[in-house]
Amino acid sequence: MPHLQISSAELFQACETIFGPEIKVSIDFLEYLQPTGIKTAFRKRAFETHPDRAKALGSFAMDLNEQFINVRKAYERLLSFVETKNEGTVYSSLYNDLRTQQDYSYKAPNN
């Protein structure tokens, strides 16, 4: 997978999209993140948002398609982050920025 440039805000948003708004994203959470956990959460969210399930969910396929695309993009961002984190390359400055922030956690706002 190609390495994507990602900001800390995009990283937090990707975590919220894949794991849900109730997850508290922290440095510890990001350090613990593994491809298998991301994949499991992605599959659950993909099932919940796949446009082929629109009729069964009582939703419009176009709305679900947009949600599904966002889930897929979030999945790609998180996998890219984990791969580069494990390689110790591209995201070292982002990861260091996250470590030096005064507020070490992010809680998604309730919508």
Side-chain angles (χ1 to χ4, degrees):
M1 174 175 287
H3 298 305
L4 307 171
Q5 289 288 20
I6 187 170
S7 69
S8 58
E10 290 171 322
L11 182 61
F12 289 131
Q13 184 63 45
C15 286
E16 179 183 347
T17 300
I18 295 295
F19 295 103
E22 63 280 347
I23 194 72
K24 184 175 180 181
V25 180
S26 66
I27 294 297
D28 290 336
F29 178 84
L30 295 173
E31 287 177 352
Y32 180 76
L33 214 49
Q34 297 296 318
T36 54
I38 297 168
K39 187 175 186 177
T40 300
F42 166 73
R43 285 181 172 177
K44 179 181 176 195
R45 293 288 294 141
F47 182 75
E48 294 170 353
T49 61
H50 200 282
D52 289 349
R53 298 194 64 241
K55 186 175 181 180
L57 296 171
S59 298
F60 292 106
M62 286 179 52
D63 294 339
L64 286 178
N65 188 55
E66 185 177 324
Q67 291 175 26
F68 182 75
I69 289 170
N70 289 335
V71 168
R72 193 187 74 237
K73 287 179 181 178
Y75 173 70
E76 292 169 0
R77 285 184 182 119
L78 290 177
L79 278 185
S80 181
F81 171 77
V82 169
E83 288 172 1
T84 55
K85 175 187 73 157
N86 292 340
E87 293 171 4
T89 59
V90 180
Y91 288 115
S92 60
S93 63
L94 170 64
Y95 209 60
N96 288 334
D97 288 345
L98 291 171
R99 286 186 161 287
T100 58
Q101 289 179 0
Q102 288 182 351
D103 181 15
Y104 284 101
S105 62
Y106 169 83
K107 180 71 173 123
N110 293 333
N111 293 342

